[in-house]
């Protein structure tokens, strides 16, 4: 009697999981964060207004994800002439570009 009960329980659970779409072992979509170029050069006067999002692309599976300001790390970037790294991070993936800041000529 116990074997029949156990067998029926396993069948019911299997059917329920199949109907709910739970097949076990499903993988999450592949996430990619890419930079369109390795480095850029801007004037010091552009540092605070430059759109750095344009240099990054994020995909999750086959879907494009909008690059938001919150995904960018601009914390090292200043208006002083020099080289800086700007990083875009989405979930566990990241990409970076080097930003060369030049002294403004105006």
């Amino acid at each position: 009697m116990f074997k029949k009960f156990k067998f029926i329980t396993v069948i019911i659970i299997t059917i329920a999981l199949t109907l709910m779409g739970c097949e076990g072992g499903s993988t999450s979509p592949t996430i990619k964060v890419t930079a369109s170029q390795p480095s850029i050069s801007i004037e010091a006067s552009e540092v605070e207004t430059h759109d750095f999002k344009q240099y990054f692309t994020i995909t999750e599976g086959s879907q494009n994800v909008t690059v938001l300001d919150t995904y960018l790390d601009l914390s090292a970037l200043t208006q002083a002439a020099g080289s800086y790294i700007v990083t875009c991070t989405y979930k566990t993936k990241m990409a970076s570009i080097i930003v060369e800041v030049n002294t403004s000529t105006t």
Side-chain angles (χ1 to χ4, degrees):
M1 180 70 172
F2 180 74
K3 285 185 179 184
K4 284 185 181 181
F5 176 77
K6 187 176 177 182
F7 177 76
I8 291 171
T9 303
V10 169
I11 295 297
I12 291 171
I13 291 172
T14 303
I15 291 170
L17 290 174
T18 302
L19 291 175
M20 291 183 340
C22 180
E23 298 175 359
S26 63
T27 59
S28 55
T30 301
I31 297 170
K32 292 182 184 178
V33 179
T34 56
S36 62
Q37 52 198 66
S39 63
I40 62 167
S41 181
I42 63 172
E43 296 296 318
S45 61
E46 297 178 275
V47 168
E48 292 192 22
T49 59
H50 195 79
D51 179 18
F52 294 99
K53 297 180 292 188
Q54 67 181 314
Y55 302 106
F56 297 98
T57 303
I58 302 171
T59 56
E60 188 167 4
S62 61
Q63 300 294 315
N64 288 331
V65 175
T66 301
V67 179
L68 302 176
D69 289 329
T70 57
Y71 301 157
L72 299 179
D73 181 2
L74 308 173
S75 61
L77 191 61
T78 69
Q79 290 182 327
S83 295
Y84 303 92
I85 296 176
V86 171
T87 302
C88 178
T89 304
Y90 179 73
K91 296 189 178 180
T92 60
K93 304 296 181 177
M94 64 180 1
S96 299
I97 61 170
I98 298 170
V99 178
E100 186 69 36
V101 176
N102 301 305
T103 305
S104 295
T105 57
T106 57

